[in-house]
Amino acid sequence: MTPEIQKRAERLEKELSSATSHTNRRARLNYWTALVLIAGALLSSAAASLGAFTRWNNNLIGALALVPGIAALIETTLKFQSKSNWRYRKVDALNALRRRLLYELPEVPTADNVAAISDAWTSVTQSMELEWEKQFSLNWTEISQKHRIGKL
């Protein structure tokens, strides 16, 4: 392997590792956000029920009773769990490319071998971004149309 090809492969491996770490952190953040929303909804619902039986302040009970609905609205709108799953799939794809770079190249890789992995990364990114746009973009037009015809 020439020094230039070695440098390219090392740079690509470093970039893949960095992208994987970043995406993995974001996946965990999305997962924990979804978990906190669910836990908050359950706990506030239980607290509101308990408060009703122990005669807490009605305003407090009402506020606690609102939390599950708000949490559900946030989760269904922002889709934290689905985003987490998407990011974990992206981590898996990036790890596969990294393993290909580290362990599946010929003993003497060429510039084309390294370029093929970079090209595969570009393809993964493009397909994942299209999936993101379809699944996670807020579509205010669709929401407005549903509201107008009474589907909301």
Side-chain angles (χ1 to χ4, degrees):
M1 177 181 325
T2 68
E4 179 59 31
I5 294 172
Q6 178 71 31
K7 219 189 284 186
R8 284 183 189 182
E10 288 172 359
R11 232 181 359 235
L12 183 58
E13 193 276 330
K14 196 177 205 175
E15 288 178 26
L16 280 167
S17 292
S18 176
T20 301
S21 294
H22 174 75
T23 304
N24 200 35
R25 281 191 303 275
R26 299 286 304 268
R28 280 194 310 263
L29 177 64
N30 286 151
Y31 175 80
W32 282 103
T33 302
L35 193 62
V36 165
L37 285 169
I38 291 168
L42 292 173
L43 290 173
S44 67
S45 180
S49 298
L50 179 66
F53 291 115
T54 58
R55 301 189 191 260
W56 289 356
N57 179 314
N58 287 340
N59 292 335
L60 177 60
I61 294 170
L64 288 171
L66 284 174
V67 172
I70 292 169
L73 177 65
I74 291 170
E75 173 54 34
T76 56
T77 303
L78 299 180
K79 303 175 185 175
F80 290 108
Q81 182 63 52
S82 297
K83 287 177 181 177
S84 176
N85 294 341
W86 179 90
R87 290 182 199 284
Y88 282 127
R89 284 195 317 277
K90 187 172 182 180
V91 165
D92 290 343
L94 294 175
N95 279 331
L97 290 173
R98 186 171 177 268
R99 283 189 305 274
R100 187 170 144 197
L101 178 65
L102 294 175
Y103 306 114
E104 298 174 20
L105 287 179
E107 275 188 49
V108 182
T110 64
D112 288 341
N113 296 134
V114 176
I117 295 171
S118 177
D119 186 52
W121 185 5
T122 300
S123 295
V124 164
T125 300
Q126 289 172 342
S127 67
M128 299 283 309
E129 292 303 319
L130 282 174
E131 183 182 334
W132 180 278
E133 289 171 12
K134 288 177 185 173
Q135 288 186 10
F136 305 121
S137 293
L138 294 175
N139 187 341
W140 295 108
T141 305
E142 183 179 312
I143 292 170
S144 174
Q145 288 171 349
K146 284 181 181 179
H147 180 69
R148 252 189 309 219
I149 58 176
K151 290 186 178 178
L152 262 180

